[in-house]
Amino acid sequence: MRPTVRRQIAVLILLLAIVAAIAFFGSLATAPNVDGWYADAAKVAWNPPNWVFAPAWTTLYVMIAVAGFLIWRAGHDREAGRNRARGALVVYGIQLVLNAVWTPIFFAGYPLIGEAAWWVALVVIVWLIGVVIWLVVAASRWSAPAAWLLIPYLGWLIYAASLNAGIIALN
């Protein structure tokens, strides 16, 4: 039995707010450093111009929120009083936490602890990639569209990991 439309709207708005908060706090860590150390760092040839990141991440964050909503809705069980997709939703939450910490570690960490921040960020993003793979598999049990919405995110994370590794290798 599907949740009420009102509840669906509330959960979707909540998930959009959560990913917007992650984006906002990530931008606080990024903004002061993009024109600082990051501008001066040597980067790989496939590093995109800075203006690409905001629209790419905005699109991905909307897709992440919608994927979470679809998983939640598919597992909703009004009669049992709990969500049957609870395991997938826990994995979803883990990836949100890892996503939220990568940006501050990578960008704001460098002025504090130097190159070690890049290494810690690389470990975090590799873990994030693994968790998102796990999430795609878990989501596919509940909602094929949710799993498909996560694939571009996974691709972008792999790309971002290559940029992170490139910063390490070239600097």
Side-chain angles (χ1 to χ4, degrees), residues 111-138:
L112 297 174
I113 62 172
E115 294 176 14
W118 299 337
W119 285 96
V120 173
L122 185 61
V123 169
V124 169
I125 202 166
V126 168
W127 273 94
L128 179 55
I129 289 166
V131 170
V132 172
I133 291 169
W134 182 15
L135 179 58
V136 169
V137 172

Side-chain angles (χ1 to χ4, degrees), residues 25-170:
F25 288 113
S27 72
L28 293 178
T30 305
N33 295 295
V34 167
D35 293 328
W37 73 260
Y38 185 75
D40 297 331
K43 298 172 196 72
V44 293
W46 58 89
N47 198 85
N50 289 341
W51 66 265
V52 170
F53 291 100
W57 273 112
T58 300
T59 303
L60 292 169
Y61 278 134
V62 169
M63 294 168 74
I64 292 165
V66 171
F69 166 76
L70 292 172
I71 296 164
W72 169 82
R73 187 177 71 178
H76 185 270
D77 188 342
R78 199 181 318 179
E79 291 176 9
R82 66 179 180 83
N83 197 297
R84 293 176 294 125
R86 186 175 45 224
L89 292 171
V90 167
V91 178
Y92 181 83
I94 293 167
Q95 70 79 27
L96 285 177
V97 170
L98 290 170
N99 182 302
V101 300
W102 181 86
T103 302
I105 292 169
F106 182 79
F107 284 100
Y110 178 74
L112 297 174
I113 62 172
E115 294 176 14
W118 299 337
W119 285 96
V120 173
L122 185 61
V123 169
V124 169
I125 202 166
V126 168
W127 273 94
L128 179 55
I129 289 166
V131 170
V132 172
I133 291 169
W134 182 15
L135 179 58
V136 169
V137 172
S140 69
R141 295 181 188 136
W142 295 101
S143 169
W148 283 108
L149 282 170
L150 294 167
I151 297 298
Y153 174 42
L154 178 60
W156 186 265
L157 290 174
I158 293 167
Y159 176 65
S162 78
L163 300 178
N164 188 155
I167 292 277
I168 293 168
L170 298 174

